[in-house]
Amino acid sequence: MIAGMQNVVKRFGNVQALDHVSFAIHEGEILGLLGPNGAGKTTVIRTLAGLIKADSGEITLLGKKQDVNNIRLKQHLGLVTQEVTVFEELTAEENLRYFGGLYGVKGDKLRQRVKETLEFVGLSEHAKKVPGKFSGGMQRRLNIACALVHSPKFLIMDEPTVGIDPQSRSYILESVKRLTMEGTTLLYTSNYMEEVQAIASRIVIMDQGKVIASGTLDELVSRIQHEETIRITVSNPSVALAERFRAIQGVKTVMHNGADYTIVSGAGSDNLNRVLMVAQQRGSVSNIVADKPTLEDVFLTLTGKKLRDEEAGV
Amino acid sequence: MTIFLFAFIRSLRRKSTLVAMFVLPLAIVFIRTLWTLENGRGFLFYGMIIMFAAFSLVRSIMIDRMTGTVVRIFAAPVATFQYLFQNLLAFWLIIGVQTIVFVVIGSALYGWGIEMAVRLILSYNIFAVASLAFSLAWNSMFRSKVMSDAIFSIIISLMALLGGIFIPISMLPDFLRKIGMLFPTYWLSNSLLFIQDKEWNGQYWLSILIMFLFSAAFLLYGSKRRLE
């Protein structure tokens, strides 16, 4: 385990920000942390990073107790903040020298790391420019670079792709995958479910300061999977075919619309082959799809909320 | 000393700082009528320039707080004391160098003499520390830059008035003079009067001591507040 929380409680006045939160992050993995606004994700990040003190519980980082006073432990940690937190007056290169210097990287090693990190985020050609001249995506990449220049063992990324174009987002996600291949462990929070689904090896879902579910994507999906849905398009549709589908064991409902049929069965029915066989007996099949719940469905089922409610409402 | 070095670089790249550091002092040092020992308004005006410069320099700490950059800084192995000390030291050094250059030019133009020049540099530098500390405490109370600036402009006018910048302290009513004592500008004004009169007595040193105490109090308040 590279980092973890055990029964961590944090209150801000009457607000219980963290309510006995426990989870572990293992070496080399990407842990996706999901939760609606106010779920406690930022408080988790800030306590893990030693920025705020937990009221009770234990936080460990690299096998040692993490605390606001344990400044040396921060040496191995990198934090990519949700906002772009770089200095406007300094060039990209100077920003990296600043943050590298804070972690005690000096001289030739600092020069080398600044060069490598700028290459890693694709900003080598813009090293002498100030962030004000950058696009949103480039600023985000510089924001990430500032957290990487000291080669942290454990990197926390707090919504690193907010408000950027798809091309920059994909560049960042590729960079994240490359980082884990190079041995960096990551805690990744995002409001984009598909990002977490694509890169995280395990997922922790939080709501109202509590961890409400954790596991791999398949584990989480199996927890909420109550039904299986099969969509099939046939060449010779008929009411009789719908009746044949209905007769298959475990089928709950069959909906028929032209050449398309939607067949809903109970969880674990595994009716895909049976449906296909029945349809082929009555003619050819032009399309068949078994719908699988997504992380979005898991999240919605567990929290009763969409992850980006506020955006949907705008 | 990364924070110190870059505080220096960042400050010198900001236009407002450059105006306060170079344009304003040069604009007043060559106006001869301000620098007669009988008038002496120039000594006080320069004090106010130091106050503006200090406020402008400390602004970067407030910007770091408002933009969330301090969160990233404190995620690194950096203590609050280190961050504040290195920033304030860089700011003080900038004002300190400016003060020396300013006094050297003033001495060359108006023949102030070495002893007066040394006393001026001492007074201005102690006042610079008090101004930096006051600006730190002031900015720590606000989350909005606009609000901080708006109220500061009122406070600085009040401090200038009660500190004898616009009207000599001797002409102020007694109760206003007593209120003025609560601000470092009063004590700068006081120390400058003793310098102009070439009286190096205990009253001069008392003014220096009180400015020093103001600095300690403001620093304590400004640094105690969490920077997030």
Side-chain angles (χ1 to χ4, degrees), chain A residues 46 51-52 71 74-75 77 79 81 83 85-87 89-91 94 97-99 101-103 143 146-147, chain B residues 2-3 5-6 9-10 13-14 60 64 67-79 83 226 228:
Chain A
R46 291 193 174 187
L51 290 164
I52 53 174
I71 284 178
K74 294 179 178 178
Q75 187 73 37
L77 182 86
L79 175 66
T81 49
E83 300 84 21
T85 49
V86 295
F87 298 110
E89 308 91 345
L90 303 181
T91 63
E94 286 168 339
R97 278 175 48 210
Y98 185 103
F99 286 105
L102 292 187
Y103 289 87
N143 200 38
C146 290
Chain B
T2 301
I3 298 170
L5 176 71
F6 281 100
I9 296 171
R10 290 175 68 196
R13 285 190 186 162
R14 231 173 296 124
S60 67
D64 288 353
T67 56
T69 312
V70 282
V71 172
R72 190 200 275 282
I73 292 169
F74 292 132
V78 174
Y83 170 75
R226 194 80 178 127
E228 289 162 35

Side-chain angles (χ1 to χ4, degrees), chain B residues 28-40:
Chain B
I28 66 162
V29 76
F30 292 106
I31 303 173
R32 188 164 285 274
T33 51
L34 289 174
W35 301 99
T36 59
L37 291 183
E38 300 74 41
N39 177 340

Side-chain angles (χ1 to χ4, degrees), chain A residues 214-228 267-268 292-295 297-298 301-302:
Chain A
S214 65
T216 62
L217 178 62
D218 287 343
E219 284 166 357
L220 291 173
V221 164
S222 68
R223 279 185 59 169
I224 65 139
Q225 200 166 10
H226 307 300
E227 290 173 340
E228 288 173 1
K292 199 181 170 190
T294 61
L295 188 55
D297 299 321
V298 175
T301 307
L302 293 173

Side-chain angles (χ1 to χ4, degrees), chain A residues 193-295:
Chain A
M193 202 85 71
E194 60 279 10
E195 280 183 10
V196 176
Q197 192 163 336
I199 63 167
S201 30
R202 279 192 315 121
I203 297 156
V204 168
I205 298 179
M206 288 187 71
D207 194 23
Q208 295 179 341
K210 290 178 185 169
V211 171
I212 55 169
S214 65
T216 62
L217 178 62
D218 287 343
E219 284 166 357
L220 291 173
V221 164
S222 68
R223 279 185 59 169
I224 65 139
Q225 200 166 10
H226 307 300
E227 290 173 340
E228 288 173 1
T229 304
I230 297 164
R231 295 177 210 283
I232 187 165
T233 310
V234 298
S235 55
N236 296 318
S238 65
V239 177
L241 181 60
E243 287 307 318
R244 293 287 303 272
F245 287 143
R246 213 165 271 132
I248 297 172
Q249 196 179 4
V251 169
K252 290 179 176 174
T253 53
V254 176
M255 282 165 279
H256 177 199
N257 184 13
D260 301 325
Y261 293 83
T262 303
I263 301 135
V264 180
S265 313
S269 305
D270 220 5
N271 273 336
L272 184 66
N273 284 334
R274 288 185 204 108
V275 167
L276 186 61
M277 210 164 65
V278 167
Q280 281 172 334
Q281 286 166 0
R282 297 275 175 148
S284 60
V285 173
S286 54
N287 188 34
I288 182 161
V289 180
D291 282 354
K292 199 181 170 190
T294 61
L295 188 55

